[in-house]
Amino acid sequence: MTIQVYWQIDAAADAARSERSARPNALTLFRDVRTSAANRYDYYAQIAQAAAQTAFDGGFLPYRAGSDDSRTVAAVIARAAPRLTLIPEFPAWVGSAVYAAKQAVSFQRLTHERLGWAIATPADALTRARDGDHVAEDELIERTEEFLHVARGVHGERPFSHAGVHFEVEGGGFDAPLDRVAFPLVFLQGESDEELALSARSADVHLFAAAPVAMLRGLVEKLDALARGEGRSVAPGVIQPVLAREFSDEAWQDAQRARLPASAIVGNYADVAERLAALAALGITHFVLTAPSSLEEAYAIGQHVLPRFRALTEGVRAAA
């Protein structure tokens, strides 16, 4: 069992940071040395470079309807952090499953196969309608499954044909050299029975929301049973907010200022590493770690928590 740790790069976080419009116009004590060409995407690249320098395995880019497109951000920062796996999240209504597969193939060729796909959990009906998505609520899981079936089909076969409820293609597929790269790992999410069953059929990794250990244990066991019933295995993961400092009281003071969710793991470096290791003991192998002030916290977690966490989970990996 190989544990993968990703740092979340959230386009909606610190929304004004590095935007040219947010720069001070008046003279200040410190001179701003940024050029006029520097923009928000340079900040995304800085976060990715921080994650790469501190030995994260990848970056997870959540879908945010009102912010920069996650797949565009991933493509831009891929060259800035040439080691990281990049997992942009996007909704299944984003467009043609065939063209999404072509974009994935192109990204894989660009990055030497460092792409993952995270399909976003559908939003409520009103939000989806604002984005032009009018698929009925009871068809959303079916639509996601069909999207993945078609994307994998045109990637792996030629000619590939499919006539479904939501997608249709006739004689699709890719020729060389586009057919020589792997399909991205697929990450799905959710805790409902329907969402877990979908992952059992279609996901490579299932990401759970942060929750108490006992609850996660039950969800991991249910996912494993469903996947075995499909003749498959699906790796469990978790999206876990964290905040770590040298001393626990300092961490809790900062956590109160940052308004972290109740599910966040907060404490000194050793405590946070131990609590993450307890999740790994459940069989969780994919960790998406997230924190406010993403750039600074990437260095703090990567330098002080990750080495402790990896040392604690050596035994878990050896026993797997």
Side-chain angles (χ1 to χ4, degrees), residues 79-100:
R79 288 293 181 91
R83 186 186 59 79
L84 292 183
T85 296
L86 295 168
I87 307 162
E89 180 187 45
F90 60 94
W93 57 257
V94 72
S96 161
V98 175
Y99 198 71

Side-chain angles (χ1 to χ4, degrees), residues 268-280 305 308-309 312:
N268 63 43
Y269 302 135
D271 288 344
V272 171
E274 288 172 4
R275 291 184 61 186
L276 291 174
L279 300 181
V305 174
R308 291 173 168 87
F309 172 61
L312 289 169

